[in-house]
Structure formats: structure tokens, C-alpha cells
Amino acid sequence: MSDQKTILRALAGETLPVPPVWMMRQAGRYLPEYRATRAKAGDFLSLCYTPDLAAEVTLQPIRRYGFDAAILFADILLVPQALGADLWFVTGEGPRLSTITSQSDFDALKPVEAIHETLGPVYETVKILSGELPSETTLIGFAGAPWTVATYMIAGRGTPDQGPAHALKAENRALFSALIDRLTAATIEYLSAQVEAGAEVVKIFDSWAGSLNGADFEDFALKPCLEITAALKARHPGLPVIGFPREAGEAYVGFAKATGVDCVALDNSVDAAWAAKHVQVDGCVQGNLASSHMVTGGQALVDETRAIVEAFSKGPHIFNLGHGITPDADPENVALMIETVREGRS
Ligand SMILES: Cc1c2[nH]c(c1CCC(=O)O)Cc1[nH]c(c(CCC(=O)O)c1C)Cc1[nH]c(c(CCC(=O)O)c1C)Cc1[nH]c(c(C)c1CCC(=O)O)C2
């Protein structure tokens, strides 16, 4: 048991003396070596689809910091692209996609079986990584949750309130549900192929789960996550799954039981002591330091890191940020965070 990787032990429900640690967006623009490799690739999507370079940026934060997990370098919006949507990134603004607002837009999408044609290079990246990562480092694959991915496909871009997706849901429930179902099926195939290529854990990012309420949360956050998790575990017995229903608030309570995920990732809008009591009772949790500490550093970073480690110390915990690290973060603050998490380790 104890020779198992720390992340896998925490995901299996073990309370460790020091929590394993990794960071969302750990391969990213705050690192000079990432910026250099991205410049070599030319643009963000070329970086995602060039296996040698995608593997290289995934490994950079592992070499620099010795994180306990590496997360595949890719993006949640590659799935819509693989289903036939146009996708491009506007520098300084974010993603743009062709929109899905009518039945004919939906009918033009490709069938689920076609996704591997586009996503083949991602599986190749996973294969390279599973050969190159240090033996103690866990490889995490990921995909966006259907609701979050649908919000980008419907609006054609990121939106502050996911208004266009909520509008389609209200106006044409059948079309909206068909899109969710297509994404659910595609996500199962995509994550399954990542596992076959060597991913040891998968994480489902539902970044906009917080804008779903009541029955909508059940239908479009819980149900797709349950379907994906059940299908993956049926195909790959014992596969650990992390769910991230960001800003779910009170709905974090019971999320693991309702979906079958092994670990619930928490954003930093929930109090760690509250989450230990109400969420960690059901199993492993991940989180939840505010990513702003990676910009500001200092004693506040140390104090808050210690407080989170302490709050979750009575149960299984993976230390992480509450959301991705931002480009203006100082790499020295990341080192300070890791050192603080591990200070009790002998
Ligand atoms: C909503 C979402 C996206 N992508 C993702 C989400 C869900 C998590 C979240 O809420 O942040 C997930 C994601 N995106 C990326 C990863 C790689 C793994 C990791 O290091 O965590 C992961 C897991 C790389 C990326 N994805 C993106 C970058 C920056 C691109 C660059 O290098 O210019 C990276 C490193 C681009 C991206 N991709 C997306 C947006 C909105 C943007 C633009 C915003 C920005 O510029 O930060 C869509």
C-alpha cells in the first residue's frame, strides 16, 4: 500500500500525514519555460496538438517543483472542435467557437465516433508522458463537463453568466438536452481513450456548475457526471475520478455520493473548515487555496496554506488551488506554497 503514489492513496480514501500537491494550470504562462515552448509551437492550439511539445510543457512544472501529479496539457474545448465546431483563440481575450443555436447547427456536428480523428495527438501526448514521468508522479487526464463545454459551444465564447446557454435551455429544451447527451457520450470516449493511453486518474471540469440551480443542477451537473463516471468505472475498474463542480456552494454537499466521483475539487469560495465537515465526510477533497496568493505571496500565503492543510488534516486531501494559477503569478510563490504544504514531512 505505502509504495503506491500519494495521489492514488488519497483518492483511495487514505488520510496522509502530508497531503499530496499539484496545481490547476500548473503548465502555463507564469512560467518562462512554458512561454518559450508556446512561442516555438506558434499558437496555443498547435501546442495542444503537437505531442512532443504538449508533453514538454506538462513536464516543466514537474521538473521545476516536483508536484505529486502532472495534468495532461490540452484544453476542454478540443472536444467541441473534434465534434466539428470551429475553434480559435483570440490573444488577450480567450476562446471563440462557431455557435450552436439551432437544430441545423446541431445536425451539422460529427458523430461521437469521429472525435478520435482530431484527438489522436492528445492520446499520443498521454503515451509520451506515461513513459517519461517520474515513478512517484501521477498522470491526470481531463475533460470539461458537458454543461461547461455546452456554454462555450452555444455562446461561441466565454460569458460572465452563461446567458446564451440558459436561454437555449429555456427555449428549446430538446435541442439543449441533445447537445448535453452528445457531449456526455463524447466525453466518455475521450476520457476512456486517455486512460487506455496511460492516464491514471481523470478529472471532470465543470467550471460553470455554479450557475445551475435546483433541478437544473441535478439534470445538467449531477446526471452527466454520474453517467460519465459510471461508464468509465465500468470500462476501467478502479479508475479514480475527480469532479470539480466549481462554485457549487451548498451543492458540494452530497456531490460525491450523487455522482460516484472519488474526490470533489473545491473552489476557494467555500470555507475549508465547513468543507471538511460537510464534504470531506464522504471522501477525498481537493483544494482550495485562492490563486491570488500565487501573485501576492508573503506571510498571508504561508498562513492560508497552513490553515487549509490543517482544516483538511483529519481526512483524505489533495492540496490544490481553488482555480487555475494566473499568468501574473510569481514562480517563487509556487515554491513557497509547496514548501509550506510539505514542511511537516520528515
Ligand atoms: C473553461 C476552461 C478552458 N480550459 C479549461 C477550462 C476549465 C478550467 C477552468 O475553469 O479554468 C481547462 C484547461 N485548460 C488548460 C488545461 C491544462 C492543464 C493544466 O495545466 O491545468 C486545463 C485543464 C490549458 C490552457 N488553456 C488556455 C491556456 C492559456 C493559453 C495560452 O497559453 O495562451 C492554458 C495554459 C486557454 C483557455 N482555455 C479556456 C479558456 C477560457 C482559455 C482562455 C483563458 C486564458 O487565457 O487563461 C477554456
Side-chain angles (χ1 to χ4, degrees), residues 24-27 29 34 38 44 71-77 89 94-95 142 152 205 207 323:
M24 283 183 270
R25 293 270 172 102
Q26 62 191 21
R29 287 163 291 181
Y34 170 86
R38 190 180 177 287
F44 175 67
I71 184 160
L72 163 70
F73 189 84
D75 197 84
I76 66 163
L77 301 178
F89 280 81
F142 75 92
Y152 288 93
F205 283 87
S207 303
H323 200 190

Side-chain angles (χ1 to χ4, degrees), residues 134-151:
S135 59
E136 67 275 16
T137 314
T138 301
L139 178 55
I140 303 177
F142 75 92
W147 159 250
T148 287
V149 175
T151 66

Side-chain angles (χ1 to χ4, degrees), residues 65-259:
Y65 300 112
F67 283 114
D68 294 290
I71 184 160
L72 163 70
F73 189 84
D75 197 84
I76 66 163
L77 301 178
L78 304 187
V79 167
Q81 190 177 35
L83 286 169
D86 294 329
L87 171 68
W88 67 103
F89 280 81
V90 179
T91 310
E93 290 188 31
R96 295 288 183 274
L97 299 93
S98 48
T99 58
I100 305 280
T101 54
S102 66
Q103 187 66 42
S104 60
D105 294 334
F106 178 78
D107 292 341
L109 291 177
K110 295 182 192 171
V112 170
E113 311 81 75
I115 64 169
H116 304 303
E117 230 171 274
T118 302
L119 298 170
V122 177
Y123 312 144
E124 189 54 35
T125 305
V126 174
K127 274 191 199 132
I128 297 171
L129 287 167
S130 71
E132 290 198 4
L133 279 168
S135 59
E136 67 275 16
T137 314
T138 301
L139 178 55
I140 303 177
F142 75 92
W147 159 250
T148 287
V149 175
T151 66
Y152 288 93
M153 291 181 83
I154 294 163
R157 58 188 299 161
T159 47
D161 57 359
Q162 298 74 58
H166 284 291
L168 186 69
K169 171 161 58 63
E171 286 154 18
N172 192 344
R173 186 95 170 177
L175 174 59
F176 177 81
S177 293
L179 179 60
I180 294 287
D181 290 348
R182 179 74 57 91
L183 286 168
T184 302
T187 303
I188 291 166
E189 298 309 321
Y190 180 45
L191 290 176
S192 195
Q194 291 181 27
V195 173
E196 278 155 27
E200 301 171 275
V201 172
V202 296
K203 179 169 174 183
I204 302 166
F205 283 87
D206 209 351
S207 303
W208 299 120
S211 80
L212 290 170
N213 297 310
D216 279 348
F217 189 84
E218 276 174 36
D219 292 343
F220 303 119
L222 295 181
K223 193 167 155 280
C225 187
L226 168 69
E227 273 179 50
I228 293 164
T229 304
L232 290 172
K233 284 175 177 279
R235 287 190 208 179
H236 312 282
L239 174 74
V241 179
I242 303 172
F244 183 32
R246 192 170 73 88
E247 296 197 344
E250 294 281 334
Y252 275 123
V253 181
F255 185 86
K257 277 193 176 145
T259 59

